[in-house]
Amino acid sequence: MIDSHVISSDKVEGSAVYNGNGDKLGSIDDLMIDRQSGTVRYAVLEFGGFLGMGTDRFPLPWSMLKYDTQREGYVVPVDKSQLEGAPHYASGEIPEYSDAYGRTVYNHYGVDWM
């Protein structure tokens, strides 16, 4: 097996996301990449709903996600109540990912803006 520190985006999309208590919050729906720097700014969490219906999308600062090999998913220091008040949007309604929107997202989670 080759030890690599890179991963294809199609392997990240669909990955489970857990909080620190081990509760599954949802899965990664998409990655948002800065066009100029090439860095991933957000992992978009699909959260809520029932059996994939009525779910919303919650951008999380990429730096918050830590991969857990035992869970085979990402862990974030977020609980469900913090997500309920977080910036989000409905499936198919992608917001303008402007710097102002980014600051709102990062501030909500207490992460320093780029």
Side-chain angles (χ1 to χ4, degrees):
M1 183 168 110
I2 297 174
D3 183 21
S4 178
H5 294 284
V6 298
I7 187 169
S8 171
S9 63
D10 70 336
K11 300 281 188 203
V12 176
E13 294 166 358
S15 295
V17 177
Y18 302 91
N19 66 16
N21 294 330
D23 302 322
K24 184 176 178 186
L25 298 175
S27 62
I28 296 176
D29 180 61
D30 210 352
L31 297 177
M32 303 307 287
I33 301 168
D34 184 289
R35 288 183 194 217
Q36 294 179 338
S37 71
T39 59
V40 176
R41 281 197 183 185
Y42 312 95
V44 181
L45 173 70
E46 181 179 17
F47 170 75
F50 181 71
L51 298 175
M53 304 284 289
T55 58
D56 286 332
R57 306 302 188 266
F58 294 76
L60 300 171
W62 179 249
S63 61
M64 289 179 59
L65 284 82
K66 304 297 179 222
Y67 191 75
D68 183 319
T69 56
Q70 293 189 343
R71 289 189 178 118
E72 295 185 353
Y74 291 89
V75 177
V76 293
V78 173
D79 61 30
K80 290 180 183 180
S81 64
Q82 190 176 12
L83 281 177
E84 291 169 359
H88 65 282
Y89 53 93
S91 177
E93 295 181 14
I94 300 172
E96 179 184 341
Y97 275 92
S98 65
D99 285 351
Y101 183 75
R103 282 186 191 90
T104 300
V105 170
Y106 276 58
N107 286 342
H108 178 78
Y109 294 107
V111 176
D112 289 334
W113 174 246
M114 321 290 295

